Amino acid sequence: MKIKGTCKRCGRDVFAEQIIAAGGTCPWDGEPFNPDYAVVLVEALREAEAAGSRLEAALEEIAALRPAFTIEANSVLGKLQAPIGELSKNLITQG
């Protein structure tokens, strides 16, 4: 899974792998996304991408088995929507 976001300062799209490679800073403006917790942020992004990839693979495997049941999308995605929504708040706009 490739997690994609937008820098709240410069407004440019950024992938988690770019943030990880840059040590927790924006690859475009060079500013840290969280100066006090850069190491924690980088590790959390690594874990989120890895977990997302494992989830994708598992769901693909389940679908390939063509079981006699469905999966409700909200049961998989529901709790993920709240933290993603929180990240969308308080966008910084450049004047």
Side-chain angles (χ1 to χ4, degrees):
M1 170 178 284
K2 292 196 179 282
I3 297 173
K4 179 181 174 185
T6 303
C7 176
K8 291 181 178 181
R9 287 182 306 273
C10 70
R12 294 185 67 181
D13 289 342
V14 61
F15 287 95
E17 63 190 27
Q18 293 174 299
I19 298 169
I20 292 166
T25 64
C26 176
W28 312 117
D29 68 17
E31 294 294 320
F33 285 107
N34 187 312
D36 297 326
Y37 297 100
V39 173
V40 175
L41 174 63
V42 166
E43 185 56 32
L45 286 170
R46 275 193 189 113
E47 288 184 31
E49 283 206 327
S53 294
R54 288 191 304 272
L55 177 60
E56 282 178 335
L59 290 172
E60 288 170 1
E61 185 175 358
I62 292 166
L65 294 171
R66 301 178 56 84
F69 64 83
T70 63
I71 293 178
E72 292 181 27
N74 195 45
S75 72
V76 177
L77 304 174
K79 291 194 179 214
L80 299 176
Q81 293 171 357
I84 291 171
E86 283 296 313
L87 288 166
S88 298
K89 291 181 180 178
N90 302 322
L91 292 178
I92 300 168
T93 55
Q94 298 294 322

